[in-house]
Amino acid sequence: MPNILVFAETRGSALRKVAFEAISAARALVDANGGGQVHALCAVPSGGAALAGQLGQHGADVVVTVEHPGFANFAREAVAATLAARAQGGGYRAVLLGFSAQGRDLAPRVAAKLDAPIATDVTEIRIAVDAVVVKHPVYANKVIATLQLDGPLVVLSTRPGSFAAVEAPRTATVESAAPASDPSGEKVVVKEMQEGGKGKIDLGEAPVIVAGGRGLKAPENFKLVEDLAAAFGNAAVGATRAVTDEGWRPHSDQIGQTGRQVSPQLYVAVGISGAIQHLAGMRSSKTIVAINKDKEAPIFKVADYGIVGDVMEVVPALTQAVREAKAHS
Amino acid sequence: MTTSNVVFLLIVTAGAGFFALNVQRLVRYLRIGLAENRTNEPGVRVKNVLSIGIAQSKIFRDHIAGPMHAAIFWGFIVLTAGTVEILIQGVFSDFSYDAILPEPVYRFYAFSQDGFALLVLGAIGFALYRRLVLHPRRLEGDKLEHTDALIILSLIGGLMLTLLLTNAYAYLAGSTLVGPEKFASRLTAQMLGRSVTSPGYWAGVFWWGHVVILLIFLNYLPYSKHLHVITSLINVFFSNTSGPGQKGVMRPMDLEADVEQFGASDVDHLTWKNLLDGYSCTECGRCTAACPANITGKPLSPRKIVINTRQRLMEKAPLATGDRMEFIHPRLVHGEGGATGAETASQVLGERLLDNYITEEELWACTSCRACVQECPVSIDQLDIINQMRRYLVLSESRFPEEIQPAFESLERNGSPWAFSPADRGRWAEGMDIPTMAEAMERGQRPDILFWVGCMGSFDDRAKKITVAFARILKACGINFAILGQEEHCHGDPARRMGNEYLYQMLAKDTIGTLDRYDVKTIVTSCPHCFHQIGNEFPDFGGNYEVIHHSTFIERLLEQNLVPLQGEDGKRLTVAYHDSCYLGRYNDIYDAPRATLKRALPVVDIVEPKRSRDRGLCCGAGGGRMWMEERQGKRINVERTEELLATGADTIAVACPFCMTMISDGVKAAESDVPVLDIAEVVAGQLVS
Amino acid sequence: MKIAVCLKRTPDSESRFRIAANGAAIDETGLKFDIDDFASYAVEVALQINEKQGPGETVAFAVGPDSVQETLRKAMSMGVDRAIQLKTDATTYDGLAIAKALAAELKAGGFDLILFGKHAFDTSGGVAGTATAELLGVACVTAASKLEIANGKGTARRELEGVAEIDEFSLPAVVTIDEGIARPRYPSLKGIMAAKKKPLETKPAQLGQPRVTVKKMELPPDRPPGRIIGDGVAAVPELVRLLRTEAKVL
């Protein structure tokens, strides 16, 4: 079994979770196919060697460090060129990246440079003799496609969370390499990075939304919803049409047919009965939690988890529990 | 022939000639509108003129202003006979009907003249009192409007006074023609006293006064909102608002037509009849007083829509028709919130009815409830103008409240105004053993009836309960029915009401294709909007079916004792029934839902809210408002729910899934726990289990 | 400016899918197709840029069978000036092959800006746009949630995991568009009528031998039915446990 080259994604000089996931995926692949080496390439402004320990812990045999001050920001062209140059060097069956913001951007570039078949956002990988077979969710996860990639070298990106980062400790050999193109001569230059968390998270982007309805009874009780959102940390606050009509919240917070249509990872509906107007805007959320005092409320029909009860009692308790859970993770 | 006769002839000819010139001008203005045939079914049209025009049936809807107006109107008709007599006298000084009529007939005529003159005077007095003292809200026009009204009232009063005074002085001068039947004239004479000098002379003066006021009145009309004196009967004749044809049916558009724009943005894209509506409006404000949007503080006033149409016509038509009679251009025709101050021709042509007079916000505020149309005493169709303008906004400019775009897109893609999968449409019926048309056909069965469920009934959780209740009734009665299941999709009515005729026709034609493929003859539905659309508007596209609303259908079943009801009378309920606009004002179904409640619950008390039946207040969802934000004023559903709750009823009944949503929300907003039930749910609750 | 927008035609996202008899495709019967959501954002962005910049040309491209002509017409009804179909027999999952076909066509087009959707609803790959840029050797910004063009330079905003990145780039460039950047306009009937008369050219797509093929399509296991886990405050610990272990969102 030939080797697999993995892009060890970093932000600043810290490795990201997707890097470990991709290395673990690669480790499992080479192990299942008669052995081979996992090579991890990281592009950092400095201190690349310091990452070798962590990467080796997860199964990297070789760590290629590429250092250049220009990597302080996302130098997409140089990273792609460097990955492609390393892959071109031979001996690789696949290049693996995480399907993160960086990986989404880099994988097609690498594939185009290598003229290699590519599959992104994969959840399973099998390597057969002359082909690589992957599973890739399509149609917004409503269908799972099994794709076959024909070619001696393929580019794959792994869906975050689909491959567990498991430890397979070894001591990685550290190699250093030069960038294949100058990171300071990029066609696209990062002008500014704006840290999240300071401003309000947009409803369209928030992974978690806590939304309140008329069941909150009074505008001041929206504090409960805000507190719960704050406990999640990455949550935005939404509202039903009834609430925005009453002027308890601005119209821009409205979720539903006439407001925003959202599909976060987690949607917490607080005191929302679930009128058609509202459901049309949030039904496609991945996980829906409903808290309502009326157990006949239509929201429970779409909710994955429901609690029947007084929002004034349940929500503060949930806020506390989420805070504790977050503190321990 | 005396000099006086010659002078009279000259004055009358001049007055009539000038009037004729103005009439010709006004008719020419109408011609800048689009052509439309309004002469079909003359029988119905004559009947409308007799009942709405002559018998003043709609005028009487206002119990105070109604009799007042009727007195003046009928007085005018009766006194016209006298006017003719006076005109003949102008030429043949000694003429009197006395000479040609049998004695009793003449006496009756003479009596009627005096009687009505007095009646009209009384009505004028009351009208002045209303305007100057009472100030009813709906008459609050601008200053010019007020002056106009006072001028007209004075002229009519003047006519009556001169008539009586002429007769009184003639009597004093010893005329034998003023018999005891002319009691008012004699009374006037008595008040004048016997001592007047040269009564013959004064009789002449007032006779001339009468003639002159008459001619002034006639020639003032074209410059006044009181043009309705001439146009209203004509307008009632040409109107379709009370038939012929089904009420509220929107006109199909030819979308393949090679036109520069679709819909109306200015007066020349409206039909001549829309423009005639402008001539016929007296600005009585009954439409605006009944408008749910206006009542709750939205920018829409149906009266303003019509007045603006007239204003703009008067501004643009002279240029468009090359009318060179600058000197008679009507400056007196005042406006309502829309005087644009355009002076030069290029300014005038650079403006239009939309935006310069009527704003987008006004047009989108309409719930298409038809209350304005219902109230108009002269059969003006305010809603038609609004609909034509909405069509322009959507089809030509793609301008509409942004929140309705998802509804349009979902109608296009999912066949429902809400983004739900068509595959889920029949889910409510799971486990109920209800066949789809396709399944029935496969088994070689021919269902008698198609149950058209509608989008609300298919996808809205609350409305699904109505659907299930109605289906249970149908099954309990052994009705052989089927649904379309996945093959049903929206017929396009919401798109049509929101001005998107293109999307509507696509959906409607497709629906007709499906219905015809199964050779559907009879359809029942629990949604008044589906009922109206499929039953009344599909025929224009070749879809002809017998469509029955569930209220009527259940009532028939109850009447025939086909519904297996529980024996006991059940709990005594006090129910307030909320009239759906599309059931009521569009289809005249007021009794069936009430009768259904009474038959199903023998001990029910039905109470009526302040506004009910054909005066019922809209729930606020119609005209596509269901998919729009209500950003201004009080919420219509809250207003309506308050009226319903004020009856003290312990249950509110509705017969429309849209009303259900709006009224249920209203009840929640009022923090009340009065249940809102559809009539089908009330009946289903009484079924033998 | 001369702007190209590359489109896809995809089924509505509310659709319920079935697998075709061959087990390697979805059953398209009953599905409603339209311009892909992300592509429609791209069209809107292109139109807005040209409206702002003054006279320009917007050209829509699509790789696919003749059914994509409907989608190209839709783009033209929104305001795109003309369209080019690169004809293939079916939708391919080989994003790089699509990029090659597009790059071959775009190369000589003289476009200042080439827009794509971030990815398409059907293949969900997000490959074609970036790969096209790479093949053309031009600048590329992916998943832009804001885009401004001024003085021959572009500025884009990208929403990353918890961070926003502001990029500057030179033209010509490829930009792939994220959702929410602008509400795509609703075509007026006037636009629809005008689109019927706009030029739509069809050329064979130079796809080459596809190296990514679909072996199988399957539906994921059904989402477990929702459940009420309890009443009141007592149910909170169980909810937190489920969110952590089952839904994995905590």
Side-chain angles (χ1 to χ4, degrees):
Chain A
M1 168 77 196
N3 303 335
I4 292 180
L5 177 63
V6 178
F7 174 58
E9 185 175 327
T10 48
R11 181 181 287 168
S13 287
L15 288 160
R16 307 200 68 206
K17 195 172 164 207
V18 284
F20 301 122
E21 290 177 359
I23 286 172
S24 292
R27 184 78 257 159
L29 271 177
V30 291
D31 289 350
N33 288 280
Q37 285 195 335
V38 175
H39 295 188
L41 184 147
C42 55
V44 286
S46 61
L51 306 176
Q54 274 176 292
L55 291 168
Q57 192 70 16
H58 286 83
D61 300 298
V62 176
V63 173
V64 185
T65 63
V66 189
E67 296 183 357
H68 188 287
F71 288 133
N73 274 323
F74 182 42
R76 57 212 85 184
E77 289 146 28
V79 175
T82 308
L83 263 174
R86 174 80 193 187
Q88 216 129 34
Y92 293 113
R93 183 68 184 92
V95 181
L96 247 63
L97 303 90
F99 191 63
S100 58
Q102 286 187 30
R104 282 165 190 252
D105 189 289
L106 293 171
R109 293 179 195 266
V110 175
K113 285 184 193 294
L114 295 171
D115 190 21
I118 170 171
T120 58
D121 194 23
V122 305
T123 54
E124 268 180 54
I125 308 169
R126 272 187 303 121
I127 297 186
V129 184
D130 51 0
V132 174
V133 177
V134 299
K135 285 199 174 182
H136 167 46
V138 291
Y139 298 100
N141 301 317
K142 288 180 173 184
V143 178
I144 312 288
T146 303
L147 304 176
Q148 177 176 315
L149 288 77
D150 297 308
L153 173 60
V154 301
V155 177
L156 305 173
S157 61
T158 57
R159 169 173 285 207
S162 281
F163 296 88
V166 287
E167 303 203 338
R170 66 205 62 217
T171 309
T173 320
V174 180
E175 294 177 20
S176 69
S181 75
D182 180 6
S184 12
E186 299 265 311
K187 295 193 215 49
V188 180
V189 181
V190 178
K191 276 286 162 204
E192 195 187 335
M193 295 295 277
Q194 295 176 351
E195 288 296 322
K198 284 175 197 155
K200 215 171 89 175
I201 306 174
D202 185 78
L203 282 173
E205 290 153 19
V208 178
I209 292 176
V210 185
R214 207 199 286 281
L216 284 161
K217 293 274 191 275
E220 55 272 20
N221 294 334
F222 244 88
K223 181 91 175 45
L224 299 180
V225 171
E226 282 163 4
D227 288 349
L228 180 53
F232 278 109
N234 51 356
V237 172
T240 64
R241 178 154 142 183
V243 162
T244 57
D245 279 344
E246 293 283 346
W248 297 357
R249 300 290 298 187
H251 272 282
S252 55
D253 280 3
Q254 189 194 116
I255 292 168
Q257 169 100 8
T258 57
R260 298 286 297 268
Q261 280 104 57
V262 298
S263 46
Q265 295 293 305
L266 174 63
Y267 190 91
V268 185
V270 176
I272 292 175
S273 67
I276 189 168
Q277 131 80 18
H278 188 70
L279 297 186
M282 46 63 76
R283 229 164 4 112
S284 55
S285 304
K286 190 150 175 285
T287 300
I288 298 171
V289 172
I291 304 163
N292 199 302
K293 71 170 190 310
D294 174 14
K295 70 174 193 304
E296 297 296 322
I299 191 76
F300 288 123
K301 292 243 170 72
V302 299
D304 298 281
Y305 310 116
I307 294 183
V308 179
D310 185 353
V311 294
M312 311 301 259
E313 294 166 11
V314 176
V315 176
L318 180 60
T319 303
Q320 186 56 34
V322 169
R323 242 181 238 140
E324 283 163 14
K326 280 272 169 186
H328 294 135
S329 66
Chain B
M1 210 176 254
T2 64
T3 328
S4 155
N5 295 143
V6 174
V7 172
F8 171 81
L9 271 176
L10 282 174
I11 292 178
V12 169
T13 310
F18 192 68
F19 177 71
L21 214 60
N22 260 326
V23 168
Q24 189 212 15
R25 175 176 62 90
L26 291 173
V27 171
R28 202 164 54 231
Y29 287 4
L30 287 186
R31 288 180 187 276
I32 75 166
L34 302 173
E36 192 197 1
N37 182 10
R38 291 289 187 119
T39 52
N40 60 323
E41 299 199 42
V44 179
R45 295 183 185 282
V46 169
K47 194 187 126 272
N48 284 343
V49 170
L50 292 176
S51 80
I52 299 170
I54 306 296
Q56 304 266 285
S57 58
K58 290 209 170 175
I59 285 282
F60 275 109
R61 288 170 67 85
D62 184 324
H63 299 309
I64 297 164
M68 178 190 89
H69 185 274
I72 300 177
F73 173 74
W74 290 331
F76 246 84
I77 291 184
V78 171
L79 292 169
T80 301
T83 304
V84 171
E85 189 182 25
I86 284 170
L87 290 175
I88 299 176
Q89 281 169 354
V91 190
F92 308 104
S93 306
D94 296 331
F95 176 81
S96 159
Y97 285 153
D98 183 30
I100 52 167
L101 293 175
E103 171 77 12
V105 178
Y106 179 75
R107 278 168 176 275
F108 178 74
Y109 157 76
F111 172 73
S112 72
Q113 294 298 298
D114 265 36
F116 273 100
L118 215 55
L119 209 59
V120 171
L121 264 181
I124 294 284
F126 179 64
L128 284 171
Y129 172 72
R130 262 184 102 218
R131 275 208 172 260
L132 299 173
V133 182
L134 293 181
H135 300 296
R137 183 172 175 262
R138 69 171 166 88
L139 292 181
E140 279 171 15
D142 60 12
K143 213 169 165 191
L144 213 49
E145 190 261 354
H146 200 60
T147 314
D148 187 22
L150 293 183
I151 290 175
I152 283 289
L153 287 175
S154 309
L155 286 172
I156 299 173
L159 279 174
M160 298 304 116
L161 284 174
T162 50
L163 180 70
L164 290 176
L165 285 167
T166 306
N167 285 334
Y169 280 110
Y171 174 66
L172 290 176
S175 168
T176 52
L177 289 171
V178 187
E181 308 80 23
K182 294 203 170 173
F183 66 97
S185 303
R186 284 201 175 185
L187 200 71
T188 314
Q190 236 165 40
M191 291 196 295
L192 290 168
R194 294 235 154 235
S195 58
V196 252
T197 50
S198 49
Y201 167 78
W202 285 110
V205 167
F206 284 111
W207 183 90
W208 272 106
H210 189 76
V211 168
V212 169
I213 294 177
L214 186 71
L215 290 175
I216 292 175
F217 183 74
L218 189 66
N219 281 294
Y220 177 68
L221 287 180
Y223 299 95
S224 156
K225 63 174 190 162
H226 286 78
L227 188 58
H228 86 286
V229 172
I230 300 160
T231 52
S232 58
L233 293 184
I234 302 169
N235 199 52
V236 170
F237 179 83
F238 287 120
S239 178
N240 287 353
T241 56
S242 300
Q246 183 59 45
K247 295 170 176 179
V249 169
M250 282 176 70
R251 272 181 280 141
M253 283 177 85
D254 178 4
L255 299 173
E256 300 296 321
D258 192 20
V259 290
E260 59 188 284
Q261 71 170 59
F262 298 94
S265 61
D266 207 351
V267 282
D268 41 343
H269 314 117
L270 293 169
T271 72
W272 65 270
K273 176 60 184 60
N274 296 134
L275 305 180
L276 181 62
D277 279 350
Y279 290 170
S280 310
C281 178
T282 325
E283 307 173 20
C284 70
R286 295 181 190 215
C287 50
T288 294
C291 174
N294 191 277
I295 289 171
T296 56
K298 317 289 188 290
L300 174 63
S301 157
R303 172 173 71 177
K304 177 176 173 292
I305 300 284
V306 177
I307 295 175
N308 287 163
T309 303
R310 179 177 69 205
Q311 269 178 290
R312 176 61 186 162
L313 180 67
M314 289 303 171
E315 183 181 71
K316 186 174 187 184
L319 289 167
T321 57
D323 187 347
R324 302 186 63 82
M325 294 192 288
E326 282 294 338
F327 62 98
I328 57 168
H329 281 165
R331 286 282 169 240
L332 250 182
V333 170
H334 67 95
E336 184 167 349
T340 64
E343 287 292 336
T344 66
S346 66
Q347 271 177 336
V348 168
L349 291 177
E351 293 183 344
R352 55 183 190 173
L353 181 60
L354 179 69
D355 300 325
N356 297 115
Y357 284 93
I358 299 173
T359 64
E360 216 181 325
E361 289 71 32
E362 293 169 56
L363 297 170
W364 292 117
C366 176
T367 67
S368 78
C369 76
R370 264 191 118 251
C372 53
V373 178
Q374 176 78 32
E375 289 306 324
C376 182
V378 296
S379 298
I380 288 170
D381 198 341
Q382 301 90 336
L383 183 53
D384 191 44
I385 299 176
I386 295 173
N387 282 333
Q388 296 307 316
M389 294 184 77
R390 278 189 175 189
R391 282 175 168 176
Y392 172 81
L393 283 170
V394 173
L395 299 177
S396 293
E397 289 198 2
S398 198
R399 242 168 89 191
F400 43 77
E402 62 170 16
E403 64 267 18
I404 64 177
Q405 189 166 334
F408 285 159
E409 281 165 354
S410 183
L411 279 168
E412 228 164 89
R413 296 177 179 190
N414 304 307
S416 147
W418 298 278
F420 284 88
S421 169
D424 292 343
R425 204 172 258 276
R427 280 219 167 158
W428 63 270
E430 275 170 16
M432 286 189 77
D433 189 27
I434 296 169
T436 62
M437 272 291 181
E439 289 163 358
M441 291 301 203
E442 209 165 284
R443 288 182 222 149
Q445 294 164 345
R446 263 207 70 87
D448 302 329
I449 281 173
L450 170 72
F451 172 20
W452 179 275
V453 183
C455 300
M456 272 298 259
S458 301
F459 297 119
D460 179 67
D461 218 69
R462 180 65 190 87
K464 275 194 261 182
K465 291 181 181 158
I466 305 173
T467 307
V468 169
F470 183 48
R472 278 183 57 216
I473 297 169
L474 292 174
K475 286 185 80 80
C477 299
I479 306 289
N480 174 19
F481 75 102
I483 56 174
L484 280 171
Q486 273 199 54
E487 283 186 280
E488 183 184 300
H489 66 62
C490 180
H491 37 63
D493 186 78
R496 186 171 228 198
R497 257 62 210 176
M498 292 191 276
N500 196 338
E501 183 75 2
Y502 177 70
L503 180 53
Y504 159 71
Q505 288 194 13
M506 224 156 60
L507 293 163
K509 286 173 183 166
D510 204 46
T511 304
I512 291 171
T514 307
L515 294 173
D516 287 349
R517 200 166 64 244
Y518 291 115
D519 198 16
V520 170
K521 298 265 187 288
T522 308
I523 299 170
V524 294
T525 178
S526 48
C527 173
H529 298 265
C530 300
F531 166 63
H532 171 75
Q533 180 52 243
I534 301 174
N536 302 334
E537 302 199 357
F538 271 21
D540 282 334
F541 300 92
N544 291 289
Y545 319 97
E546 185 199 8
V547 188
I548 309 165
H549 185 251
H550 79 324
S551 58
T552 311
F553 195 78
I554 298 172
E555 204 234 334
R556 283 187 204 162
L557 292 173
L558 288 165
E559 194 183 30
Q560 294 164 32
N561 280 322
L562 290 171
V563 188
L565 293 179
Q566 291 165 18
E568 78 268 31
D569 290 345
K571 204 177 112 204
R572 174 167 280 278
L573 287 179
T574 307
V575 179
Y577 171 71
H578 161 77
D579 285 285
S580 142
C581 304
Y582 278 72
L583 208 52
R585 278 186 291 264
Y586 279 77
N587 285 286
D588 291 314
I589 297 178
Y590 300 107
D591 295 325
R594 291 175 169 83
T596 300
L597 292 170
K598 280 187 202 145
R599 285 182 196 277
L601 303 168
V603 293
V604 75
D605 285 325
I606 295 184
V607 289
E608 298 290 344
K610 178 172 88 179
R611 290 181 256 239
S612 85
R613 301 180 73 94
D614 64 0
R615 293 172 196 264
L617 185 70
C618 179
C619 70
R625 294 288 324 162
M626 180 77 184
W627 296 277
M628 293 178 223
E629 291 286 349
E630 198 172 335
R631 292 191 175 91
Q632 276 175 291
K634 184 175 182 179
R635 296 183 55 75
I636 294 174
N637 66 329
V638 169
E639 173 80 19
R640 179 54 172 168
T641 307
E642 284 170 3
E643 290 182 4
L644 290 161
L645 291 173
T647 60
D650 48 35
T651 304
I652 295 171
V654 296
C656 168
F658 289 89
C659 297
M660 170 60 82
T661 298
M662 301 309 278
I663 304 299
S664 300
D665 280 357
V667 168
K668 271 186 228 162
E671 299 191 356
S672 157
D673 48 11
V674 169
V676 186
L677 294 174
D678 186 89
I679 52 163
E681 295 177 302
V682 174
V683 176
Q686 291 296 106
L687 285 176
V688 174
S689 47
Chain C
M1 289 228 313
K2 205 170 168 191
I3 306 178
V5 190
C6 302
L7 312 176
K8 260 195 133 171
R9 174 180 178 270
T10 56
D12 186 75
S13 57
E14 287 302 325
S15 307
R16 211 156 290 276
F17 293 98
R18 288 182 308 270
I19 304 301
N22 71 3
I26 55 159
D27 179 359
E28 294 193 356
T29 46
L31 294 185
K32 291 272 185 190
F33 286 79
D34 202 345
I35 184 169
D36 188 74
D37 281 347
F38 287 101
S40 69
Y41 296 127
V43 171
E44 179 62 36
V45 169
L47 295 173
Q48 284 187 12
I49 289 174
N50 263 343
E51 279 162 4
K52 214 167 144 186
Q53 303 269 325
E57 193 188 24
T58 313
V59 188
F61 291 81
V63 180
D66 286 344
S67 53
V68 300
Q69 290 181 8
E70 190 192 6
T71 311
L72 290 167
R73 291 268 177 227
K74 166 101 182 228
M76 290 193 283
S77 73
M78 291 170 76
V80 165
D81 300 302
R82 61 188 174 92
I84 294 170
Q85 174 200 5
L86 299 178
K87 190 169 171 163
T88 60
D89 296 334
T91 305
T92 173
Y93 275 72
D94 191 338
L96 188 53
I98 294 176
K100 285 177 184 169
L102 284 169
E105 184 60 33
L106 290 163
K107 196 160 54 189
F111 291 99
D112 302 298
L113 191 60
I114 301 167
L115 301 182
F116 285 78
K118 179 174 85 168
H119 63 239
F121 171 65
D122 56 354
T123 52
S124 314
V127 173
T130 321
T132 301
E134 200 62 46
L135 295 172
L136 291 173
V138 300
C140 176
V141 174
T142 54
S145 63
K146 264 193 194 127
L147 176 61
E148 266 167 50
I149 305 291
N151 312 322
K153 268 192 172 309
T155 311
R157 180 188 169 92
R158 304 171 70 223
E159 306 293 340
L160 310 177
E161 293 100 348
V163 192
E165 180 185 282
I166 315 293
D167 292 337
E168 213 174 79
F169 55 95
S170 52
L171 299 183
V174 170
V175 179
T176 75
I177 303 295
D178 203 351
E179 68 187 326
I181 189 165
R183 189 189 278 264
R185 64 195 63 189
Y186 189 76
S188 68
L189 180 54
K190 228 172 147 181
I192 293 168
M193 292 301 176
K196 290 182 180 171
K197 294 178 188 146
K198 290 181 180 174
L200 194 164
E201 212 181 324
T202 296
K203 302 176 176 180
Q206 297 162 23
L207 274 186
Q209 182 68 32
R211 293 178 299 173
V212 178
T213 45
V214 179
K215 289 288 123 187
K216 192 175 155 193
M217 287 273 193
E218 61 198 314
L219 300 180
D222 278 339
R223 186 171 170 152
R227 57 183 192 267
I228 290 181
I229 52 177
D231 285 350
V233 174
V236 167
E238 173 66 358
L239 173 63
V240 171
R241 191 188 68 79
L242 288 167
L243 289 179
R244 188 192 279 269
T245 58
E246 201 176 86
K248 300 195 170 87
V249 287
L250 251 184

